[in-house]
Amino acid sequence: MPKIYLLDVTNRDGVQTARLGLSKLEKTMINIYLNGIGVFQSEFGFPTTRHEYRYLNANLELAEMEAEVGAPAWLKLKPIRLGGWIRAIVADVELAFERVPGIKHLNLSISTSDQMINGKFQGRKNRDDIIKDMTAAVDAAWAKGAESIGVNAEDASRTDLDYLVEFGLAAKEHKATRLRYCDTLGYDNPFTIYKSNKALAERVGLPIEQHCHGDLGMAVANSLAGAKGTIDGGQDAYINTTVNGIGERAGNADLVTVILAVAKSKEFADSYQLGGKVNLSKAWKIAKFAEYAFDVKIPINQPGVGANAFAHESGIHADGVLKDPENYELYGYEELGRGDPIKVDTGREITAGEYSGISGFSHVMGKIKDVSFKSREEANEVLELVRYANVLSHKPLVEDELLFIARYPQIAKQLLTLTPLA
Ligand SMILES: [Zn+2]
């Protein structure tokens, strides 16, 4: 039976969202947490973008490294796949491999709806040109050493299905690994996306990615319906998610909610299951980190990780849940890694920032287990990196970030190096 895999796009769709962004260190932490959750692939960024490529190269290097002796087990980038996003044109493929020579996994994106072909290219390209551009880009990516290639049909939900099949078959003929069905505007509903994804799986014969947006409030429901259609059509499904649902406009399908919906919703998991080792116990950690890093509060009623997801007050509910949690809860808070009290200092606090000195810094680091410095020079070097990280994120680093910098100073240095116009 085909399975459902998770392909998270927080570091691409999430960071390209208006008003929102992440520092390169924060993007790295997201990749590390996604690996901990068992996500199949992180779309970790834009290989053609100048300010991005050092971060991409550094993450690929980290993925190749053996875990440092004594480093905590979660601090690694294996076995998650790191995939870049580029436009499906040969020039982007060439630039991507020039800037990020070690990139192995790519998604190549091009618009397929008549609305976008006419609206964006203004008569300069037609349907045939789109397929020609895409197949040439796929060929170029294979020639440069790609190991997997997803082909993205932007605005697939407003694309004529027969043309989409023709587009998918052309991708398949050029050995593309997957077809991404982008419901770019959140236009689908579970009934329409089930039908289109099943037809694509059957008629094209490639695994299908579901890339859904929440403009009509159905991103998660559509993702499940599309995945079901794909599996019923005989292919693996790859649901695109983002942490806390952060993404363009009304956002994308939320990672934690998708996992919960697949695993816990009525009868779904009887036939449709997550592939790989998905581990929800890191859900709380990644959601809270993304909340802090994006500076966007998790809604109080967010599934699983919202403040009220396990809160009960009214008499009948409180009485019922105390007698047996299953009376009013579908799943336990422990499964999501919740339950530990959060310690908040309310007295004197020393934080590490861009103007910190060694004394305050040593005090902060002294509280973190798994970290000790061999010498004052080493501590000074790490402090310098922490200062730069703070310049880029404008907020005190969390403990995991400090630990990461202390353990992988050379990787951190690459993440923090930005050279405009070079
Ligand atoms: Zn999107």
Side-chain angles (χ1 to χ4, degrees):
M1 190 83 180
K3 293 249 183 324
I4 299 169
Y5 297 89
L6 301 168
L7 196 160
D8 190 89
V9 298
T10 306
N11 278 333
R12 200 274 299 168
D13 218 319
V15 300
Q16 77 183 50
T17 304
R19 305 174 213 279
L20 302 181
L22 296 176
S23 75
K24 307 310 180 195
L25 175 61
E26 289 164 340
K27 293 185 78 168
T28 303
M29 298 311 293
I30 292 282
N31 292 329
I32 289 171
Y33 293 140
L34 290 171
N35 181 61
I37 287 183
V39 166
F40 174 79
Q41 180 163 322
S42 171
E43 190 151 281
F44 71 148
F46 304 89
T48 56
T49 300
R50 204 183 270 127
H51 63 69
E52 190 93 325
Y53 69 87
R54 278 205 184 87
Y55 144 79
L56 298 170
N57 285 321
N59 273 247
L60 290 170
E61 191 182 325
L62 182 64
E64 290 297 314
M65 286 166 73
E66 291 307 318
E68 198 194 296
V69 181
W74 58 267
L75 199 57
K76 59 178 184 185
L77 265 181
K78 243 185 233 174
I80 196 167
R81 281 188 181 189
L82 301 171
W85 183 100
I86 57 174
R87 294 174 300 173
I89 53 175
V90 171
D92 268 25
V93 173
E94 285 173 352
L95 190 56
F97 280 93
E98 192 182 304
R99 294 199 162 142
V100 189
I103 193 117
K104 293 281 182 276
H105 308 288
L106 284 168
N107 270 73
L108 313 180
S109 184
I110 198 159
S111 310
T112 53
S113 67
D114 288 339
Q115 164 68 42
M116 285 202 180
I117 295 173
N118 298 330
K120 284 185 171 182
F121 298 112
Q122 308 272 319
R124 281 179 289 114
K125 284 189 195 295
N126 60 29
R127 286 179 171 189
D128 289 341
D129 298 325
I130 294 293
I131 290 180
K132 269 189 220 135
D133 280 358
M134 179 271 290
T135 52
V138 170
D139 290 347
W142 287 132
K144 292 278 182 190
E147 290 177 7
S148 79
I149 300 173
V151 170
N152 302 2
E154 191 191 22
D155 206 16
S157 50
R158 292 194 298 176
T159 302
D160 168 57
L161 186 63
D162 287 328
Y163 174 66
L164 204 53
V165 169
E166 189 187 332
F167 177 87
L169 285 171
K172 186 183 177 187
E173 207 181 291
H174 289 255
K175 306 274 187 295
T177 317
R178 296 182 303 273
L179 178 64
R180 179 176 294 179
Y181 176 95
C182 302
D183 182 18
T184 307
L185 272 69
Y187 175 55
D188 260 314
N189 60 56
F191 314 103
T192 53
I193 197 172
Y194 174 82
K195 264 201 302 200
S196 59
N197 279 214
K198 182 163 185 275
L200 285 171
E202 285 170 348
R203 293 171 62 187
V204 175
L206 279 180
I208 309 290
E209 295 184 29
Q210 290 71 39
H211 183 90
C212 300
H213 278 271
D215 298 73
L216 299 175
M218 293 185 282
V220 172
N222 286 344
S223 300
L224 259 72
K228 177 176 157 61
T230 299
I231 290 175
D232 289 352
Q235 295 291 330
D236 284 328
Y238 290 78
I239 296 180
N240 288 190
T241 62
T242 63
V243 182
N244 298 344
I246 298 280
E248 292 271 19
R249 306 179 313 280
N252 294 58
D254 171 53
L255 170 67
V256 173
T257 311
V258 165
I259 298 173
L260 288 169
V262 170
K264 310 284 185 185
S265 71
K266 190 170 180 176
E267 293 171 10
F268 198 79
D270 295 348
S271 309
Y272 307 94
Q273 281 148 14
L274 290 165
K277 278 203 188 102
V278 175
N279 170 15
L280 255 184
S281 70
K282 294 275 184 291
W284 177 248
K285 185 137 202 173
I286 195 171
K288 296 304 280 186
F289 178 77
E291 175 182 54
Y292 183 73
F294 277 117
D295 197 15
V296 176
K297 275 256 164 256
I298 297 172
I300 193 170
N301 56 348
Q302 181 84 353
V305 295
N308 270 3
F310 298 94
H312 308 274
E313 189 168 292
S314 71
I316 291 170
H317 281 236
D319 179 61
V321 87
L322 287 168
K323 284 176 174 150
D324 180 355
E326 284 188 25
N327 284 331
Y328 285 104
E329 288 174 0
L330 275 174
Y331 43 88
Y333 61 85
E334 305 91 340
E335 286 182 63
L336 294 121
R338 295 182 71 152
D340 293 334
I342 297 170
K343 197 174 130 261
V344 181
D345 282 326
T346 58
R348 179 179 303 120
E349 222 184 324
I350 310 285
T351 56
E354 60 216 81
Y355 302 107
S356 284
I358 192 68
S359 165
F361 177 66
S362 302
H363 176 83
V364 170
M365 297 304 278
K367 291 183 171 177
I368 305 176
K369 72 171 171 50
D370 294 321
V371 172
S372 60
F373 297 115
K374 287 184 215 89
S375 62
R376 199 173 169 87
E377 288 70 47
E378 192 189 33
N380 268 315
E381 266 177 43
V382 173
L383 168 60
E384 182 74 345
L385 294 169
V386 168
R387 287 188 187 128
Y388 273 77
N390 199 259
V391 167
L392 296 168
S393 72
H394 309 292
K395 44 184 150 352
L397 305 190
V398 303
E399 203 175 294
D400 286 351
E401 290 174 299
L402 294 168
L403 180 59
F404 176 83
I405 292 174
R407 286 290 181 180
Y408 296 100
Q410 286 313 314
I411 298 284
K413 188 178 166 190
Q414 295 177 58
L415 298 175
L416 301 172
T417 303
L418 295 176
T419 316
L421 303 177

